[in-house]
Amino acid sequence: PQPAPAAGRAPATSLLEIYALMIQLYGRTGDHGRLRDLYVRSQRVEGGIPHPRTLAVIKECGGKMYMREREFDNARRAFFDAFRSYDEAGDPGRLRCLKYQVLASMLFESGINPFDAAEARPFKDHDEIVAMTDLVRAYHDGDVKTFERVLQRNQGKIMDDPFIRTYIDDLLKTVRTRVLLRVLQPYTRTTLQFLSHQLNGVPPDDVENLLSQLILEGRLHGQIDQDNGILYRKMPQDPSLKNAKAMDDLTAAMKKMTSGLIAAVDSAITIGGDKMGRGQRWGD
């Protein structure tokens, strides 16, 4: 008989349950510093067999913490863990966390469809989730019109959640940014009015703000003519052309150096020959 391991698991299990309660309390009271500290400590607890719902609560609160800190990659991972734990517990909170995971994935600008995961795939056609499924599809297609239409048609299933509503403006900005970068690829000169049309009628001033942000972040190289409403884009140099130029410069330098060496050798030979000739005459 080995009772020690089971006895050792009990304190860890109780500790995680206490952490879950305290993390929820700090989340509701807005004590974000203590929430982060407690969340980090909860991830270090080893052993214990807490109820899946306890783990789900901790991970959901952690995901919201990461969202607030704009660590969207960590947020989507935490929400996915919460979704799986809620699902294991048979708790309806799984649908809520699946929505949050989809939201965080889009804000992270992930190229992976959240519904490709085996655990999430069975829920993509669920009445509460289908709107998020449509959002993800429009997001990956870069279809702003469809994206905004899905939001408008599903106010109750998306906008009624105050947590999701907090990030809708960020989400729209992310989608519009992706579309801008795709639309701009073939152009070196584009009017803001044209870009406004591509973004489903977003005001040119808002388009200018998006472009300015992209330029500041180094994701777009160019400058904006504010007087005439025109973006002049600097096309990035092809690395192969840059390497070819470097090779040409190196070859030219090598040729110049070689020519110099040959000239120096020829001069030395000539001088040596002259000296030998004069030496023979003196000997005569």
Side-chain angles (χ1 to χ4, degrees), residues 253-270:
M254 291 292 291
K255 285 182 178 179
K256 185 177 180 180
M257 183 175 66
T258 302
S259 299
L261 288 172
I262 293 173
V265 171
D266 287 344
S267 177
I269 293 174
T270 301

Side-chain angles (χ1 to χ4, degrees), residues 154-196:
N154 295 274
Q155 293 286 327
K157 295 178 180 178
I158 298 177
M159 301 295 282
D160 279 358
D161 186 318
F163 180 75
I164 293 179
R165 191 165 59 244
T166 301
Y167 294 95
I168 288 298
D169 287 342
D170 288 327
L171 190 56
L172 284 170
K173 181 180 177 182
T174 299
V175 174
R176 290 165 180 167
T177 297
R178 284 172 60 89
V179 173
L180 273 180
L181 290 172
R182 188 192 64 181
V183 170
L184 286 171
Q185 283 183 358
Y187 300 107
T188 56
R189 178 182 180 277
T190 320
T191 65
L192 301 190
Q193 193 63 46
F194 168 75
L195 296 176
S196 171

Side-chain angles (χ1 to χ4, degrees), residues 120-148:
R121 196 177 302 124
F123 296 94
K124 68 178 183 178
D125 294 324
H126 191 283
D127 288 344
E128 288 295 318
I129 299 297
V130 69
M132 300 301 287
T133 305
D134 293 339
L135 277 184
V136 170
R137 186 180 300 113
Y139 169 83
H140 285 287
D141 291 344
D143 188 341
V144 175
K145 292 182 179 179
T146 300
F147 193 91
E148 293 181 353

Side-chain angles (χ1 to χ4, degrees), residues 237-252:
Q237 186 176 6
D238 188 335
S240 61
L241 296 178
K242 185 177 180 180
N243 292 337
K245 184 179 184 302
M247 289 298 296
D248 289 343
D249 291 343
L250 179 60
T251 302

Side-chain angles (χ1 to χ4, degrees), residues 201-260:
V202 172
D205 287 346
D206 291 346
V207 174
E208 183 179 333
N209 289 335
L210 289 173
L211 293 173
S212 298
Q213 187 64 37
L214 287 171
I215 292 172
L216 287 173
E217 292 174 354
R219 299 172 65 186
L220 178 66
H221 302 284
Q223 59 184 21
I224 302 171
D225 179 350
Q226 294 178 315
D227 294 332
N228 298 303
I230 298 174
L231 169 71
Y232 293 95
R233 181 166 169 254
K234 298 176 183 176
M235 301 296 287
Q237 186 176 6
D238 188 335
S240 61
L241 296 178
K242 185 177 180 180
N243 292 337
K245 184 179 184 302
M247 289 298 296
D248 289 343
D249 291 343
L250 179 60
T251 302
M254 291 292 291
K255 285 182 178 179
K256 185 177 180 180
M257 183 175 66
T258 302
S259 299

